[in-house]
Amino acid sequence: MRRPLVAGNWKMFKKIAEAVEMVATLKPLVAGSTTVDIVVCPVFTSLHAVAQALKGSNIEVGAQNCYPKESGAYTGEVAPQMLLDAGCAWTIIGHSERREYFKENDEFLNEKLKYALATGLKVMFCIGETLAERQGGKMNEVLKRQLTGGLQGLTEADFGRMSIAYEPVWAIGTGLTATPDQAEEAHAFVRSVVRAQFGETVADALRIQYGGSVKPENAAELMAKPNVDGALVGGAALKADSFAAIVNAAG
Ligand code: 13P
């Protein structure tokens, strides 16, 4: 049985005071949850304050991105070591918004993934096809390419500290959720690719989160599917009550 992982990707929302207030409200709403791993991913400027506010709770903190160097002349970037220092346990890598707006490719994402894992961060690694790719019958091809390039060189131990988030680009922020059957089909395919490349043990243990317009109303149905092991939530993670409802739907 894989333990569900439910994470909130806050994207570029919330200043420090709003972020701290949100997690103060969230904490008691999910305090009784003992069967789900819970993560919130605020913007960089709020990470330390949120991590302090969540000390001793059952909610971990994640960043939304990182750079694969310890320090140096990389203006505007943040090292995984600095994220650990700020109180993060996790980082997201490979979100479609980073792939699209910041032109991050599979090779660079693979470098980031390996580096972040080596520093001790846990990683949610995002993949997903666009609407044009899906309609053109290229979904499996795209997912396989993102997995093959993105996961290259990982060891079995690495997989124990990461999840994959399947986020169809057409479902992100659009209100168009994949149906539970569409999510299950894609997740089963992702697991089969991982099985073929890294073996049965890795594939069976790997958590695959679904992301894309997850809400309290559809979360339970999506996460009831055998290959859907949690959620990566955008808009509905910005409010404590809706995020808590999704967490509580997971376990
Ligand atoms: P929405 O839940 O707002 O569709 O965003 C999903 C997402 O991109 C999470 O990383």
Side-chain angles (χ1 to χ4, degrees):
M1 225 353 224
R2 292 177 292 266
R3 184 179 163 90
L5 169 60
V6 175
N9 172 11
W10 294 4
K11 307 194 180 183
M12 201 171 74
F13 293 100
K14 293 192 193 295
K15 295 178 183 154
I16 298 170
E18 296 164 313
V20 169
E21 189 189 331
M22 150 54 175
V23 294
T25 312
L26 178 65
K27 254 198 304 192
L29 299 180
V30 298
S33 170
T34 55
T35 54
V36 182
D37 287 340
I38 310 166
V39 185
V40 292
C41 303
V43 299
F44 285 131
T45 49
S46 296
L47 288 173
H48 185 251
V50 166
Q52 291 293 313
L54 290 176
K55 258 197 181 148
S57 77
N58 59 342
I59 307 169
E60 292 182 300
V61 180
Q64 300 171 17
N65 184 32
C66 63
Y67 192 73
K69 296 279 181 197
E70 182 173 0
S71 60
Y74 302 102
T75 302
E77 296 298 328
V78 180
Q81 290 86 346
M82 293 163 180
L83 298 176
L84 288 165
D85 183 48
C88 290
W90 290 87
T91 185
I92 296 170
I93 289 179
H95 193 279
S96 64
E97 287 149 16
R98 302 239 28 117
R99 292 176 186 262
E100 184 185 351
Y101 304 141
F102 304 100
K103 310 292 171 227
E104 296 189 357
N105 61 25
D106 295 325
E107 195 186 345
F108 181 49
L109 294 171
N110 177 247
E111 187 187 339
K112 282 205 218 192
L113 173 61
K114 285 193 285 200
Y115 191 84
L117 289 168
T119 65
L121 279 174
K122 296 181 275 192
V123 177
M124 291 175 260
F125 187 74
C126 303
I127 58 170
E129 82 287 357
T130 64
L131 187 57
E133 289 162 347
R134 174 174 276 256
Q135 288 176 339
K138 293 205 154 60
M139 178 180 95
N140 288 0
E141 186 187 312
V142 169
L143 295 179
K144 191 168 176 184
R145 190 199 69 223
Q146 292 175 337
L147 289 166
T148 305
L151 304 181
Q152 207 178 334
L154 291 197
T155 65
E156 190 169 333
D158 287 333
F159 278 97
R161 302 207 346 281
M162 66 172 286
S163 71
I164 288 178
Y166 168 65
E167 299 204 311
V169 178
W170 48 273
I172 295 178
T174 58
L176 280 177
T177 321
T179 64
D181 286 341
Q182 284 174 322
E184 173 61 18
E185 184 193 355
H187 284 222
F189 177 73
V190 168
R191 202 178 300 287
S192 76
V193 172
V194 172
R195 184 176 292 117
Q197 296 184 4
F198 297 95
E200 194 80 33
T201 313
V202 164
D204 285 350
L206 181 66
R207 292 185 290 191
I208 306 174
Q209 299 157 270
Y210 169 78
S213 300
V214 177
K215 301 177 190 67
E217 300 78 52
N218 58 25
E221 215 189 346
L222 284 160
M223 291 188 282
K225 290 291 178 185
N227 281 293
V228 179
D229 310 310
L232 182 53
V233 186
L238 294 171
K239 289 217 170 83
D241 55 354
S242 58
F243 186 61
I246 295 168
V247 168
N248 292 325

